[in-house]
Amino acid sequence: MRGHIRRRGEKWVVVVDTGYDENGRRKQRWHSGFDTKREASKALTEILGRLQSGLYVEPSKQTLAHFLRGWLAAIRPKLRPSTWASYQMNVGSHIIPRIGTTPLQGLTASGLNAFYAELLESGRRGGSGGLSARTVRYNHTILRKALSEAVRWNQLARNVSDLADPPRQSSTGGQMRTWSAQELRAFLEQVKDDRLYAAWLVAATTGMRRGEVLGLRWRDVDLDAGRIAVTQTLVTVRNKPSYSTPKTAKGRRSVALDAATVAALREHRRVQIEERLVFGQDWPDSDLVFRLEDGEAIHPDRFSAWFERHIKATGLPPIRLHDLRHTHATLALSAGVHPKVVSERLGHATVSITLDTYSHAIPAMQEEAAEKVAALVFG
């Protein structure tokens, strides 16, 4: 098997011999689209290796858009509806309009870098501004997943996105902010007369995600044992509430409740029974713990908006609703709760995720540990 590289216009191409046809004539395959001689030389080595091992990828003019549409259809049964809808939205809004006509096998690292730069500069609809680094990285993640499948399906020789340089996520964008125990107490005091007081309390004292709180069902609540089984989450698919499963396998978990939260849930159930009697047969039979007055599910965005409104009324430092989860974890770690227990309450896949996410709370634990060990040694 032989091959060589040559320059063709502004690009470099790889030419390889793949054998002979039925008439005994030599067959050549051209692989084009390399920006530098070095890239082409590296590709030639890889292609010859694949020919030798029987993993050679035939050249194809299939566009990235055509491949991505097929990929989205193939992975749909494997993903949560909200995740698939997010992939489809980003592919349709950002990737296909800008680089969809590029041949799948013609993608290059430099081309992807130019695409990321364009999204940062004018990625919003109508070119009215750029997308955040976080969003651009998310598009890179989608492309990386898709192209890895193209390699596995023998449609690409390698995943060029591995060589690209997506922007780093801003250290300030989406930064975690937490409340102190006193600030959290002030918030809960502010909302104690709110119809959804029990929901705010559950979010604050369990570290459950927004969708997990809104998807909670009475069948998953054991008030006598003081435990909640997290088995369902409420998400939005195309801006409409939809039920799904927790994010990870360990997301399906059992969370212990404190006495105050149990009492609030008992009172909430009593009030909900009265509301159900008012609406009678019109009350939806979904078994949700937290609903609108008419029994319908609460849209997650609406729940977040109510949270922001309550914060403004208290004058507390503004945080996101998701930061109640971070606050719970930080307070638990600072109080000396074992990281493994905190990880299980949050539903993290591994305890290392918990430690990496909340490393800011570790120094205080280190100081406390030093004092406790010293007390044992020196009395």
Side-chain angles (χ1 to χ4, degrees):
M1 296 181 185
R2 297 182 300 172
H4 63 276
I5 63 174
R6 66 172 62 174
R7 188 157 193 162
R8 195 174 191 183
E10 297 296 322
K11 299 285 186 178
W12 289 85
V13 298
V14 173
V15 184
V16 293
D17 295 336
T18 60
Y20 296 88
D21 61 19
E22 62 276 7
N23 298 317
R25 291 177 295 190
R26 189 174 63 180
K27 294 191 299 183
Q28 286 189 328
R29 294 292 182 265
W30 290 53
H31 298 261
S32 59
F34 299 98
D35 293 325
T36 66
K37 184 178 181 180
R38 184 177 180 180
E39 284 185 7
S41 296
K42 185 175 181 180
L44 174 60
T45 301
E46 292 179 357
I47 291 170
L48 291 177
R50 283 179 168 268
L51 275 167
Q52 187 70 33
S53 61
L55 298 175
Y56 174 66
V57 178
E58 285 281 351
S60 169
K61 294 183 179 180
Q62 177 183 209
T63 64
L64 176 62
H66 183 270
F67 170 77
L68 287 176
R69 292 188 181 104
W71 172 71
L72 284 171
I75 65 171
R76 186 168 190 171
K78 306 175 185 177
L79 298 179
R80 289 155 48 98
S82 57
T83 301
W84 186 85
S86 176
Y87 282 10
Q88 184 192 44
M89 186 276 290
N90 280 277
V91 167
S93 299
H94 304 309
I95 299 176
I96 287 180
R98 288 171 174 80
I99 58 174
T101 57
T102 305
L104 175 65
Q105 296 179 351
L107 286 173
T108 62
S110 59
L112 291 181
N113 288 339
F115 165 61
Y116 301 147
E118 182 181 351
L119 290 183
L120 287 171
E121 179 68 24
S122 57
R124 293 184 181 178
R125 290 184 179 179
S128 59
L131 299 176
S132 68
R134 181 176 182 273
T135 301
V136 177
R137 283 193 67 87
Y138 184 58
N139 277 267
H140 166 75
T141 298
I142 294 172
L143 274 172
R144 193 165 182 264
K145 289 178 181 291
L147 297 182
S148 68
E149 289 296 303
V151 173
R152 192 169 71 87
W153 295 342
N154 208 33
Q155 296 184 39
L156 278 180
R158 61 175 178 169
N159 190 339
V160 296
S161 68
D162 290 335
L163 306 176
D165 299 304
R168 294 182 179 180
Q169 187 170 328
S170 171
S171 59
T172 56
Q175 189 173 11
M176 181 194 307
R177 292 168 292 177
T178 59
W179 279 335
S180 66
Q182 292 76 16
E183 289 169 332
L184 180 56
R185 188 183 306 119
F187 170 77
L188 293 174
E189 182 67 22
Q190 168 67 27
V191 298
K192 67 179 181 180
D193 295 326
D194 186 77
R195 177 180 170 276
L196 291 174
Y197 170 66
W200 307 123
L201 198 57
V202 167
T205 61
T206 66
M208 289 168 61
R209 300 176 178 90
R210 177 182 68 175
E212 293 171 346
V213 173
L214 296 180
L216 184 63
R217 297 168 296 187
W218 284 116
R219 75 188 72 166
D220 298 322
V221 180
D222 188 338
L223 295 178
D224 292 331
R227 299 194 76 87
I228 283 176
V230 182
T231 61
Q232 177 178 267
T233 182
L234 184 69
V235 297
T236 53
V237 178
R238 302 186 186 280
N239 204 37
K240 294 182 179 180
S242 176
Y243 300 108
S244 185
T245 55
K247 291 180 65 175
T248 64
K250 289 193 175 181
R252 298 175 67 93
R253 61 199 187 278
S254 178
V255 181
L257 301 174
D258 62 278
T261 302
V262 169
L265 283 168
R266 289 189 188 279
E267 175 61 17
H268 178 77
R269 184 168 61 177
R270 184 191 65 79
V271 174
Q272 190 179 88
I273 291 173
E274 294 178 354
E275 292 175 343
R276 182 169 186 168
L277 290 174
V278 171
F279 281 90
Q281 294 182 350
D282 294 332
W283 185 272
D285 188 22
S286 61
D287 197 36
L288 289 176
V289 174
F290 304 115
R291 317 167 178 229
L292 298 174
E293 290 88 340
D294 61 3
E296 294 293 338
I298 301 172
H299 194 290
D301 291 342
R302 195 173 184 181
F303 192 57
S304 294
W306 290 340
F307 178 72
E308 294 176 3
R309 191 181 308 163
H310 283 307
I311 292 179
K312 291 180 180 178
T314 62
L316 289 168
I319 65 173
R320 304 165 303 171
L321 176 59
H322 193 72
D323 288 326
L324 277 185
R325 174 176 167 86
H326 296 319
T327 296
H328 175 75
T330 302
L331 292 177
L333 289 170
S334 300
V337 178
H338 196 285
K340 178 64 174 176
V341 176
V342 177
S343 178
E344 290 173 350
R345 288 180 67 79
L346 298 178
H348 283 165
T350 64
V351 70
S352 62
I353 295 176
T354 308
L355 293 173
D356 290 342
T357 305
Y358 303 106
S359 57
H360 62 280
I362 304 304
M365 296 173 64
Q366 292 265 17
E367 294 170 5
E368 183 180 355
E371 292 296 334
K372 286 183 177 180
V373 172
L376 288 174
V377 175
F378 302 111

